[in-house]
Amino acid sequence: MSHRSGAGDPVRTLELLWRGNGTRQSTRGPRQGLSVDRVVDAAVELADAEGLSAVTMRRVAQVLGVAPMSLYTYVPGKAELLDLMLDTVYARMPRTDLSGLPWRERVVTVARENRELYRRHPWAATVSTGRPPLGPGYLAKYEHELTAFDGLGLTDLEMDAALTYLLGFVQFSALSAAEAAAARRDSAMSDEQWWEANAPVLDRVLDGAAYPTAVRVGTAAGRAYRGAYDAEHAYEFGLARVLDGLAALVERRGRAGGA
C-alpha cells in the first residue's frame, strides 16, 4: 500500500475531522460557498473515478474551479485530505441493524458492508489505516462493527483483534479482486483467453513431471475458475475459514465461562 492515514498534522486533522462538534471553520476564501465538505466531496469523486494517485491539491482545485492555493484555506494538504476522505466514506456506509442476529450472521454482515465500501470506493482498500482517522465516521463504524462480537464472552482485546482480523481479510480480498480486474482490463483479455493464448509456450517450457501436484491442482482450479483466480470463490472460501477460526475462539471462551 502506497498511502496511509494519519500522516498529516494530527492537531489540524482532528480539528477538521470534528469540525461539526464546535470547531470553527474558516470563513476566508476567494469563492463564496466553498467549504471543507465541498473540497472533500470533490476529492472522493476524483478518487472514485481515477484512483487515489489522481488526487492532488491542484486537481481538486481544478475540479472545483478555484486556484490551487485557495484550497489550503480549508485543508492543509493531501495527507489531511486523505483522512477526511476516509472518514467521510466511513460515515456514509449503510449500517445494518445487527441486534437479534446470530453472531455468524452479524460477522458476515459486517464483512459484506466493508466489501461494498471497497466496491464503491476502490481507493479506500489501498490505504493503510494503522493510524486510523479518529473522526466521527470512523468511530461510528468501529462502534457498529464491534457489536458483531459483543456478548460472546470475548475480552475487549479479543473483540478488537477479531474485528481487525475480519476487516483485514475483506481488505485483502478487495485488493486482490481489483488487481485481477485491472489485469483483465489492461490486457483486454479474460483470464481464460490469456491462458489459452499462452498455453503453447507454457507447454514447451514446463516439465509437468517435475511439478506433478502443482500441475494437477492448478489444472483443476483453472478448469473450475476459467483462470488461475476467482475473486468470488476466494472471498466466500476465505470468509468461511475466518468464521471457522472465530467460532473456535467463541466456543473456547464459552466453555471457560461455563467452567
Side-chain angles (χ1 to χ4, degrees):
M1 298 181 187
S2 57
H3 306 277
R4 64 180 177 87
S5 61
D9 177 355
V11 173
R12 188 68 182 115
T13 298
L14 287 171
E15 288 176 345
L16 287 167
L17 286 168
W18 290 95
R19 59 193 179 279
N21 286 37
T23 301
R24 183 177 62 85
Q25 294 192 54
S26 173
T27 57
R28 296 177 298 161
R31 180 176 176 179
Q32 186 69 23
L34 193 61
S35 65
V36 173
D37 288 340
R38 286 196 60 200
V39 172
V40 174
D41 287 344
V44 169
E45 291 176 8
L46 184 58
D48 290 346
E50 301 182 31
L52 202 52
S53 61
V55 179
T56 64
M57 299 297 276
R58 180 174 295 277
R59 281 295 308 280
V60 174
Q62 183 180 13
V63 170
L64 291 168
V66 300
M69 288 304 297
S70 67
L71 288 193
Y72 294 97
T73 302
Y74 302 93
V75 181
K78 183 175 178 177
E80 293 83 1
L81 179 58
L82 177 58
D83 283 354
L84 289 165
M85 292 166 62
L86 279 173
D87 200 68
T88 295
V89 298
Y90 290 163
R92 294 173 179 170
M93 288 176 67
R95 307 195 210 285
T96 304
D97 183 5
L98 302 178
S99 59
L101 297 177
W103 77 264
R104 282 177 177 265
E105 191 170 341
R106 299 200 302 262
V107 171
V108 169
T109 299
V110 168
R112 183 174 62 246
E113 291 171 347
N114 280 272
R115 195 183 189 202
E116 179 63 15
L117 168 73
Y118 295 134
R119 188 191 69 80
R120 290 177 177 271
H121 310 288
W123 55 269
T126 70
V127 181
S128 173
T129 55
R131 292 180 176 175
L134 297 178
Y138 168 79
L139 289 176
K141 179 178 185 291
Y142 186 51
E143 178 75 19
H144 165 71
E145 292 170 350
L146 284 173
T147 62
F149 302 96
D150 203 14
L152 301 180
L154 305 183
T155 67
D156 289 347
L157 288 180
E158 287 171 338
M159 287 174 61
D160 178 80
L163 178 58
T164 300
Y165 176 49
L166 173 69
L167 298 186
F169 160 73
V170 177
Q171 185 175 16
F172 177 78
S173 296
L175 284 170
S176 298
E179 290 170 355
R184 292 191 295 270
R185 182 178 63 250
D186 294 344
S187 66
M189 303 171 73
S190 67
D191 290 345
E192 186 176 22
Q193 291 169 330
W194 190 90
W195 284 105
E196 287 178 352
N198 289 278
V201 176
L202 189 61
D203 288 341
R204 289 200 306 271
V205 301
L206 177 63
D207 179 6
Y211 313 99
T213 307
V215 170
R216 187 187 78 245
V217 174
T219 299
R223 287 173 178 167
Y225 308 148
R226 296 186 176 183
Y229 175 77
D230 180 86
E232 189 65 29
H233 180 271
Y235 175 80
E236 295 296 340
F237 181 88
L239 181 59
R241 304 293 76 76
V242 170
L243 290 169
D244 289 345
L246 292 173
L249 174 63
V250 171
E251 290 168 6
R252 186 160 62 248
R253 289 292 171 263
R255 289 195 298 270

